[in-house]
């Protein structure tokens, strides 16, 4: 009987401790946070997927044009399709993996010091970049923040580290995995 009582006390203590940790995270999360750094955890893989999607799209368009060329009788229409095909080939040759990587990095860099995340006490949430904002709600469970924007489940952020003025999150957006570092405003 004493052991059962001891186990119950230990279980109760652990649940109170875990509950207080979540309460601390909720309290620490409340406020406005400014994005200071955004790094892709899988940058090379993500850029390769973007490049392959771009390249495959052009290849599919060229195949469609080739099919049309075999069925069209008018020389004017054939010439228009040949020009369109050549333009697609030219645009494919002008884009490479390095350019995509530079573009992705520049896009992430432009958000730094401009994008803010605001978490309010009653579960309200917003993300703002310059004068544009989206509003929604959030729930925090353990190390996970689930956001909902316009009644649609949006992003799931994983808390890597939370301190009074420092927040580190990880999030998967489409095929990208990002590590975000934010500071309290």
């Amino acid at each position: 009987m004493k052991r059962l009582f001891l186990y119950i006390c230990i279980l109760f203590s652990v649940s109170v401790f875990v509950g207080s940790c979540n309460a601390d995270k909720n309290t620490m999360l409340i406020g406005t946070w400014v994005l200071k750094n955004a790094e892709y955890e899988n940058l090379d893989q993500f850029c390769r997927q973007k490049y392959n999607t771009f390249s495959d799209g052009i290849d599919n368009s060229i195949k469609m044009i080739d099919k049309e060329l075999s069925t069209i009788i008018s020389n004017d229409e054939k010439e228009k399709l040949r020009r369109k095909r050549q333009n697609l080939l030219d645009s494919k040759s002008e884009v490479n993996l390095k350019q995509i990587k530079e573009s992705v990095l520049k896009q992430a860099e432009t958000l730094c010091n401009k994008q803010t995340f605001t978490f309010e006490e009653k579960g309200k949430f917003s993300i703002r970049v310059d004068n544009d904002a989206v509003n929604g709600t959030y729930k925090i469970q353990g190390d996970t923040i689930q956001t909902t924007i316009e009644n649609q489940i949006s992003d799931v952020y994983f808390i890597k580290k939370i301190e009074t003025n420092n927040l580190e999150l990880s999030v998967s957006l489409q095929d990208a995995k990002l590590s975000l570092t934010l500071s309290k405003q």
Side-chain angles (χ1 to χ4, degrees):
M1 188 67 146
K2 287 182 183 179
R3 280 189 182 174
L4 179 61
F5 179 72
L6 181 63
Y7 289 136
I8 291 172
C9 288
I10 290 171
L11 184 62
F12 177 74
S13 298
V14 167
S15 67
V16 167
F17 175 74
V18 169
S20 68
C21 287
N22 282 342
D24 289 344
K25 284 181 185 170
N26 280 325
T27 303
M28 291 175 78
L29 188 62
I30 293 171
T32 299
W33 298 85
V34 179
L35 180 65
K36 293 297 179 181
N37 190 29
E39 290 183 18
Y40 287 85
E41 295 175 15
N42 60 335
L43 179 63
D44 290 333
Q45 176 187 353
F46 175 65
C47 292
R48 182 160 305 286
Q49 287 172 333
K50 285 183 83 67
Y51 177 77
N52 289 342
T53 300
F54 168 77
S55 182
D56 291 346
I58 289 191
D59 290 343
N60 288 334
S61 295
I62 289 172
K63 285 177 187 175
M64 289 174 57
I65 289 173
D66 289 344
K67 283 182 183 179
E68 285 183 64
L69 282 170
S70 67
T71 61
I72 293 177
I73 298 170
S74 162
N75 285 335
D76 288 341
E77 288 180 42
K78 281 186 179 185
E79 187 55 38
K80 286 178 188 176
L81 286 173
R82 285 186 186 116
R83 280 194 301 259
K84 188 174 181 180
R85 186 181 192 283
Q86 188 58 49
N87 288 339
L88 287 169
L89 286 170
D90 292 345
S91 66
K92 184 177 177 179
S93 68
E94 292 170 1
V95 175
N96 61 45
L97 192 57
K98 182 181 176 186
Q99 290 170 318
I100 289 176
K101 189 174 186 178
E102 289 171 357
S103 173
V104 166
L105 289 172
K106 186 173 182 171
Q107 184 181 19
E109 185 181 312
T110 60
L111 291 175
C112 293
N113 296 312
K114 290 182 181 179
Q115 186 173 33
T116 60
F117 294 69
T118 301
F119 298 92
E120 296 179 21
E121 280 188 31
K122 295 189 179 188
K124 291 188 179 184
F125 169 73
S126 68
I127 297 177
R128 177 177 296 282
V129 177
D130 296 327
N131 294 324
D132 297 324
V134 292
N135 299 307
T137 60
Y138 76 95
K139 272 188 200 178
I140 185 170
Q141 294 179 329
D143 288 337
T144 304
I145 304 167
Q146 172 69 59
T147 60
T148 303
I149 296 174
E150 297 178 5
N151 298 321
Q152 302 269 333
I153 291 178
S154 182
D155 299 319
V156 177
Y157 297 89
F158 299 96
I159 300 171
K160 294 168 125 181
K161 179 177 166 183
I162 186 166
E163 298 173 344
T164 305
N165 293 316
N166 186 34
L167 176 61
E168 292 180 18
L169 302 172
S170 178
V171 62
S172 293
L173 304 170
Q174 297 169 341
D175 296 328
K177 292 179 185 172
L178 288 164
S179 289
L180 308 174
T181 303
L182 303 104
S183 64
K184 207 161 207 174
Q185 192 174 40

